[in-house]
Amino acid sequence: MNAIREMLEKLRQNIHTVIVGKTEVVELIMICLLCRGHMLLEDVPGMGKTMLVRTLAKSLGCAFKRIQFTPDLLPSDILGVSIYNQKIQEFEFRPGPVMAQIVLADEINRTSPRTQASLLECMEEEQITIDGVSYKLPRPFLILATQNPIEYEGTFPLPEAQLDRFLIKAHLGYPSYDEEMEILDRLEKRHPIAEIIQVFDLAELLNLQEKAANIHIEDSLKNYIVNIVQVTRNHPEVSLGASPRGSLALLKTSKAKAGLAGREFVIPDDIKSLAGATLAHRIVLKPEAYIKGKNPEDIINEVLAQVPLDI
């Protein structure tokens, strides 16, 4: 497990040559990498969401595509389209930008639900289907989507089925005074992303993913995960609890968290630290909870305080 910790520490340091602070979000991205999951970054414009994804792609040497989601974007603009070739008198498939290893779905909630839904198959099955023909996506395959808060004008809130396919949802947040001063110093003359280097190759990344999947977790901790998810479904202020996909997400991410710490086994703190990031976006609160000023993260914290840990 030291291999996971050492190699991802190189990745962390490389990202921080461009991104100031945001240590927790960078760690969550690395967890998504290890788990072969997808991540949703939500925050106001100008917080560095796009730059973070570009830095990650350059650090890994992955094929990178950016899709700017707009209200008039069509599914074929993302997935690709079959075009008739008059020379050979056959249809040819022209792949869209989703056929990359790291895909930045920028401002995903600015496009229509129809176009949002075009990502469902590729996020879950790592393939796309055009005109009845399925095409495998490259490995590794990671979608990092950004969205502005849903109360902003011109946005379409993501449906529950789409949110459920994101392994983790995170918020960047505003930088501190010292961090913002450092940002000004770094970007005053040139952008540091021009100096980003590739820290390890894709074969090494795929090997790390296999190692993370084999990290041990006790049955008692699996029981703890299931109990947490079960309580979200029965909470009096929740109208829609976390799905079984949420249980699996918490299991996988806890293993990856242990790997980042150089451990071959999961501990309860791994589960507790990731419950909010993996489950909060999968639950829907009742109106009275919002009236009280609560949010999904508050409910997850209440659940963690309520569920006993029997080891």
Side-chain angles (χ1 to χ4, degrees), residues 18-166:
V18 175
I19 303 300
V20 178
K22 313 305 177 192
T23 304
E24 182 179 348
V25 176
V26 171
E27 181 175 281
L28 290 176
I29 287 181
M30 292 192 292
I31 288 173
C32 275
L33 273 174
L34 289 177
C35 298
R36 296 173 59 184
H38 310 288
M39 186 172 185
L40 178 62
L41 290 167
E42 181 181 83
D43 226 312
V44 296
M47 303 301 293
K49 301 184 294 293
T50 301
M51 187 55 58
L52 176 57
V53 181
R54 287 181 57 198
T55 304
L56 173 69
K58 289 196 69 174
S59 298
L60 297 175
C62 289
F64 170 71
K65 294 290 185 181
R66 176 182 180 272
I67 308 171
Q68 178 61 56
F69 282 75
T70 57
D72 60 346
L73 196 71
L74 298 175
S76 58
D77 297 327
I78 298 173
L79 305 179
V81 64
S82 294
I83 298 177
Y84 187 73
N85 188 325
Q86 292 185 345
K87 290 184 178 180
I88 62 175
Q89 297 185 348
E90 291 181 359
F91 281 93
E92 290 183 337
F93 174 62
R94 301 287 178 88
V98 78
M99 296 289 284
Q101 291 165 316
I102 293 184
V103 178
L104 171 58
D106 212 1
E107 296 186 306
I108 189 173
N109 60 332
R110 289 204 176 276
T111 197
S112 66
R114 175 190 176 192
T115 305
Q116 290 175 6
S118 66
L119 293 174
L120 293 178
E121 181 184 13
C122 62
M123 292 177 69
E124 184 67 20
E125 302 175 32
E126 296 188 357
Q127 69 175 25
I128 59 173
T129 302
I130 305 294
D131 296 333
V133 180
S134 296
Y135 302 89
K136 283 291 183 182
L137 296 169
R139 292 187 61 194
F141 177 69
L142 173 67
I143 289 181
L144 285 150
T146 71
Q147 72 169 5
N148 299 325
I150 58 174
E151 63 266 25
Y152 272 59
E153 294 182 1
T155 59
F156 300 84
L158 295 179
E160 289 76 14
Q162 184 97 37
L163 287 171
D164 200 36
R165 281 168 171 78
F166 284 103

Side-chain angles (χ1 to χ4, degrees), residues 228 232 275-277 279-280 283 295-305:
I228 290 172
T232 68
L279 299 179
I283 66 175
N295 57 45
E297 287 79 9
D298 296 329
I299 299 299
I300 296 300
N301 290 332
E302 291 179 10
V303 170
L304 291 175

Side-chain angles (χ1 to χ4, degrees), residues 141-287:
F141 177 69
L142 173 67
I143 289 181
L144 285 150
T146 71
Q147 72 169 5
N148 299 325
I150 58 174
E151 63 266 25
Y152 272 59
E153 294 182 1
T155 59
F156 300 84
L158 295 179
E160 289 76 14
Q162 184 97 37
L163 287 171
D164 200 36
R165 281 168 171 78
F166 284 103
L167 184 73
I168 285 174
K169 181 182 177 183
H171 305 267
L172 285 177
Y174 286 109
S176 66
Y177 175 86
D178 291 337
E179 289 173 344
E180 196 155 0
M181 285 295 294
E182 187 174 349
I183 291 171
L184 296 184
D185 290 338
R186 287 191 186 186
L187 302 183
E188 183 178 3
K189 296 180 180 179
R190 61 175 302 181
H191 205 295
I193 196 170
E195 301 172 0
I196 283 290
I197 60 172
Q198 181 178 344
V199 290
F200 54 89
D201 61 36
L202 299 182
E204 291 174 320
L205 175 58
L206 296 175
N207 183 46
L208 293 184
Q209 291 175 339
E210 293 296 327
K211 289 179 180 292
N214 291 322
I215 290 174
H216 178 70
I217 180 169
E218 292 285 347
D219 287 342
S220 60
L221 293 182
K222 291 181 184 178
N223 180 68
Y224 182 51
I225 290 173
V226 172
N227 284 338
I228 290 172
V229 174
Q230 290 280 335
V231 171
T232 68
R233 299 169 190 165
N234 300 314
H235 194 284
E237 295 179 308
V238 173
S239 62
L240 179 66
S243 67
R245 192 184 280 121
S247 303
L248 191 57
L250 190 50
L251 172 71
K252 289 181 177 180
T253 55
S254 298
K255 287 185 174 186
K257 177 84 171 180
L260 287 176
R263 283 184 274 104
E264 297 182 357
F265 54 89
V266 175
I267 62 175
D269 285 347
D270 296 329
I271 298 171
K272 293 177 181 178
S273 65
L274 289 164
T278 56
L279 299 179
H281 62 287
R282 303 175 194 271
I283 66 175
V284 178
L285 305 190
K286 293 180 179 178

